[in-house]
Amino acid sequence: MRVIVQKFGGTSVGDAKKIQDVASRVITEKERGNNVVVVVSAMGKSTDHLVDLAKGISAQPSRREMDMLLTTGEQITISLLAMALTERGYPAISLTGWQAGIKTEPVHGNARIIDINTERVEKELAKGTIVVVAGFQGITEDGAISTLGRGGSDTTAVALAAALKADKCEIYTDVTGVFTTDPRYVKDARKLLAVSYDEMLELAHLGAGVLHPRAVEFAKNYHIQLEVRSSTEKEAGTIIEEEAAMEQNLVVRGVAFEDNITRVTVIGMPNSLTGLSVIFTELAKNHINVDIIIQSTLAEQLTNLSFSIKNEDLAETIRVLENSKKKLNYERIESEAGLAKVSIVGSGMVSNPGVAAEMFEVLAENNIAVKMVSTSEIKVSTVVDHEEMILAVEVLHNAFQLSGSPVIS
């Protein structure tokens, strides 16, 4: 029998009626003769509620206890969905992340999956049972409950699909697929019928919230076909696969954006061979993600180093840099908040060298100042003022002709 993994996000399971609707979707797949594994998130805003409860107890609760608290949200959902399926005559069992064999590294709040023992899940599937698994969670080698961070349920679903050698993984969400940009901000954004792993990975890294980057990485590494679909509409979604067979005429496939960006500049650092290694090693040890990096030489012996981070990582970044000041021997640290990142993505950029020039020309024509730039074979990212983020997205979306109906080639 084919194995299908389905994932439903928090808005899809926000109340009892929505859970019944999800049960109907699952039953439809089961009646097609497939084995079904369902991964679900916590209901609606319940995770936010749990976070607020914790803040009422402690300004800085331990990460271990936060993991213990937050994983209860998904446990509520899996039990209710399993009840709904059983009530309608379809045997189902709910499993927490650790019951489903999901093992993670020993990091609280943002752990990575290192292994999945599928024995329990496969045993239940062999009996014809629908298996409902809590997303976002696992267990460490020493038995501590862990969470996978933002987008963790996506990662759970795709990792399970890979471990089970599933035929397909369907990600159900509150949108009908992957769009050329966020349709909440650009009304004429359109749904893409297909997108490649590499393009989706860039879009996810660059702020497109429809899929988490780790989930896309699992799909690419294990050749899992993904489909992003609506949990309420019946229409087909966006297929994510090795090479997108549709819309090959598009040089740029999408415009991604992300706000809450801060630029940190380390000024007057000795121009040594080890300076960069020290900075980024220390930041990595403290789980601080660094994005765009620019180094500029002031004189033969001095250099400035700028890099971008998320706003919430600023205090920790400053602490790490100050603790390393003796090693780095820099003059001072400056930071600039209120920034955003706007990026264009498309595999067609590889063979079209004028794309970056057109991007900068369009931004200049609209008086949008570019503060930092980062490029790869299939993307160009710019850092701009937050106030100009949506304007930049709109003019780039228009310039690269991403509006209108999907084009099938």
Side-chain angles (χ1 to χ4, degrees):
M1 295 176 67
R2 282 163 50 91
V3 176
I4 306 296
V5 177
Q6 298 180 319
K7 179 263 176 179
F8 294 88
T11 55
S12 303
V13 292
D15 54 38
K17 182 184 183 305
K18 289 181 177 180
I19 288 174
Q20 291 286 8
D21 292 340
V22 167
S24 297
R25 288 265 188 171
V26 176
I27 289 169
T28 297
E29 197 61 59
K30 182 65 176 174
E31 289 183 338
R32 290 182 178 135
N34 297 319
N35 278 323
V36 185
V37 177
V38 190
V39 176
V40 292
S41 301
M43 296 173 64
K45 299 292 185 181
S46 61
T47 300
D48 293 339
H49 174 64
L50 293 172
V51 171
D52 290 340
L53 285 175
K55 289 180 179 177
I57 300 295
S58 171
Q60 290 186 313
S62 80
R63 291 193 171 189
R64 180 195 184 279
E65 299 308 328
M66 282 301 294
D67 277 1
M68 183 68 76
L69 174 67
L70 296 181
T71 51
T72 63
E74 282 73 21
Q75 291 178 49
I76 293 170
T77 314
I78 59 172
S79 58
L80 291 173
L81 180 55
M83 289 177 195
L85 291 164
T86 303
E87 190 71 16
R88 292 164 67 171
Y90 293 84
I93 186 171
S94 62
L95 299 176
T96 62
W98 46 99
Q99 288 175 322
I102 298 173
K103 298 177 182 178
T104 77
E105 62 184 358
V107 175
H108 289 292
N110 195 30
R112 289 180 176 270
I113 296 173
I114 57 175
D115 188 32
I116 299 181
N117 183 340
T118 59
E119 183 178 351
R120 177 74 184 277
V121 174
E122 290 178 328
K123 180 180 177 182
E124 296 295 341
L125 291 176
K127 296 189 295 185
T129 305
I130 297 171
V131 181
V132 185
V133 178
F136 177 66
Q137 58 188 248
I139 193 166
T140 67
E141 194 67 39
D142 60 359
I145 293 172
S146 55
T147 62
L148 308 181
R150 175 181 166 270
S153 292
D154 288 348
T155 307
T156 301
V158 182
L160 271 171
L164 293 166
K165 296 181 173 57
D167 296 273
K168 190 177 183 181
C169 181
E170 299 174 337
I171 307 293
Y172 287 88
T173 182
D174 54 356
V175 294
T176 57
V178 179
F179 282 71
T180 49
T181 194
D182 193 328
R184 294 173 298 178
Y185 295 90
V186 179
K187 291 183 180 180
D188 59 355
R190 63 181 173 85
K191 185 174 72 178
L192 293 164
L193 300 177
V195 64
S196 71
Y197 292 130
D198 288 337
E199 289 170 327
M200 190 66 241
L201 191 56
E202 289 284 13
L203 288 168
H205 272 300
L206 296 169
V210 69
L211 270 177
H212 193 274
R214 289 186 196 171
V216 184
E217 286 174 3
F218 266 110
K220 176 178 170 61
N221 291 339
Y222 293 94
H223 306 288
I224 301 297
Q225 187 184 84
L226 292 180
E227 183 175 4
V228 178
R229 303 185 62 181
S230 167
S231 59
T232 57
E233 306 294 331
K234 299 299 184 182
E235 65 183 84
T238 300
I239 298 293
I240 301 162
E241 53 193 350
E242 189 64 47
E243 290 295 335
M246 302 175 186
E247 302 176 283
Q248 294 289 352
N249 60 312
L250 294 179
V251 175
V252 173
R253 198 67 64 96
V255 181
F257 57 97
E258 183 179 12
D259 60 3
N260 298 318
I261 301 295
T262 292
R263 177 171 62 180
V264 175
T265 303
V266 182
I267 296 175
M269 191 171 67
N271 192 8
S272 68
L273 295 175
T274 59
L276 294 178
S277 173
V278 171
I279 286 180
F280 295 117
T281 297
E282 292 302 315
L283 292 174
K285 285 180 182 177
N286 289 271
H287 307 289
I288 297 170
N289 290 321
V290 173
D291 189 12
I292 300 175
I293 302 169
I294 296 175
Q295 184 179 21
S296 56
T297 302
L298 300 176
E300 186 176 340
Q301 302 299 324
L302 293 177
T303 185
N304 288 351
L305 178 70
S306 295
F307 55 88
S308 63
I309 57 171
K310 296 292 289 181
N311 286 355
E312 60 263 30
D313 290 330
L314 178 59
E316 183 71 0
T317 299
I318 298 298
R319 184 191 68 79
V320 170
L321 292 175
E322 288 179 344
N323 288 345
S324 304
K325 188 168 186 179
K326 287 185 178 179
K327 294 181 184 177
L328 298 170
N329 196 27
Y330 57 81
E331 293 177 8
R332 67 184 187 277
I333 300 170
E334 292 183 354
S335 63
E336 181 183 5
L339 303 176
K341 182 170 61 176
V342 177
S343 310
I344 56 173
V345 176
S347 56
M349 293 167 61
V350 175
S351 55
N352 287 270
V355 174
E358 184 176 353
M359 178 184 191
F360 298 135
E361 183 178 349
V362 169
L363 293 176
E365 287 173 351
N366 288 273
N367 298 313
I368 299 171
V370 174
K371 295 174 178 285
M372 303 179 81
V373 177
S374 174
T375 66
S376 74
E377 285 189 335
I378 64 170
K379 65 97 175 173
V380 180
S381 294
T382 60
V383 172
V384 301
D385 284 328
H386 170 76
E387 290 79 8
E388 296 177 326
M389 178 180 72
I390 298 303
L391 174 60
V393 172
E394 290 174 340
V395 297
L396 291 172
H397 192 268
N398 183 61
F400 290 106
Q401 302 176 350
L402 296 176
S403 304
S405 301
V407 178
I408 303 175
S409 58

